[in-house]
Amino acid sequence: MTERLYYTHDALECTARLIRTSLQDDGRYAVVLDQTLFHPQGGGQPADTGWINGVVVESVLQQDDEIIHLLAQPLPREEVTLQVDAVSRALHTQLHSAGHLIGYAGELHGWQPIKAHHWPGEGRITFNATDSASVPDIDALSEHIARWQAAALPRIVTFDAGCRTVRFGDLPAYGCGGTHVPSLAALGQVVISNIKIKKGQLIVYYTVQ
């Protein structure tokens, strides 16, 4: 099992112990460590980018209880240094946090979030209607989000029966394995670009500036 350090803190650099390296069919090397700062692709969030011992991490995947780092060359079987790219991590973290806020705002209008895609340039949250659903406009959703940001609500991470949950202030907790800003004061401007109804579902498209 790989310990997921990004679950509990925001560090971008650490050391880890190499557990296993295996050559893949595409010529890359799959590296497993005892712990990692790298968020794998999944949960609607792209993988972190960065370096291990100065070698570019080309992809990060989850495989059962392990995190697989794909590199173009093998690493020595010893302690290695991990460095997550700060710029891409910050963007992914802001996009994921903004997605939670859009989920909260949609719930206030009777919509239940069911799917999230927090990728740069492709951000969208998909909702199913409840019995009390009314279609919000962009201004209504944006006003909710601006109010929560003005309050600088802090991120709160908890673990319940092995499940990680994330919330901001007293807002609802979502089961989530992603990375998030430590406070909504660090989020930046959430821009909702479009709202659509498709096959009875509400889809909110957004970005962060």
Side-chain angles (χ1 to χ4, degrees):
M1 176 182 293
T2 307
E3 181 182 0
R4 303 175 189 225
L5 299 178
Y6 60 85
Y7 268 6
T8 53
H9 58 71
D10 302 314
L12 298 177
E13 209 170 316
C14 77
T15 58
R17 184 170 56 87
L18 184 66
I19 300 298
R20 185 176 70 254
T21 300
S22 55
L23 180 62
Q24 305 299 288
D25 292 341
D26 63 3
R28 295 188 294 179
Y29 292 86
V31 172
V32 178
L33 307 170
D34 66 333
Q35 59 183 14
T36 189
L37 294 169
F38 284 86
H39 184 285
Q41 180 176 324
Q45 181 173 331
D48 279 328
T49 59
W51 306 264
I52 301 178
N53 274 17
V55 179
V56 173
V57 176
E58 298 184 354
S59 186
V60 189
L61 306 171
Q62 177 178 327
Q63 191 174 90
D64 299 323
D65 289 333
E66 294 182 332
I67 304 297
I68 310 297
H69 311 76
L70 293 175
L71 284 72
Q73 63 188 68
L75 297 172
R77 185 168 290 277
E78 57 185 24
E79 187 174 84
V80 295
T81 300
L82 287 67
Q83 183 180 359
V84 174
D85 181 83
V87 174
S88 63
R89 164 63 74 83
L91 178 58
H92 299 166
T93 293
Q94 289 180 319
L95 285 166
H96 204 144
S97 301
H100 278 220
L101 297 189
I102 292 170
Y104 301 147
E107 288 193 70
L108 293 177
H109 293 268
W111 295 87
Q112 183 64 42
I114 59 165
K115 188 186 302 183
H117 188 72
H118 310 295
W119 287 55
E122 304 174 7
R124 62 184 180 273
I125 310 297
T126 303
F127 300 81
N128 279 342
T130 68
D131 292 339
S132 61
S134 61
V135 179
D137 59 24
I138 290 175
D139 287 343
L141 296 181
S142 298
E143 286 172 7
H144 295 309
I145 292 169
R147 185 173 68 254
W148 295 324
Q149 286 188 266
L153 298 179
R155 176 193 65 202
I156 300 172
V157 176
T158 60
F159 293 86
D160 183 12
C163 178
R164 180 178 185 259
T165 66
V166 178
R167 73 177 193 271
F168 291 97
D170 293 329
L171 294 173
Y174 290 155
C176 184
T179 61
H180 298 273
V181 293
S183 161
L184 295 185
L187 180 53
Q189 183 182 2
V190 180
V191 179
I192 298 175
S193 58
N194 200 6
I195 295 176
K196 289 184 180 180
I197 298 291
K198 185 176 181 180
K199 296 181 179 179
Q201 293 181 318
L202 177 74
I203 308 173
V204 179
Y205 297 85
Y206 76 100
T207 189
V208 175
Q209 296 179 349

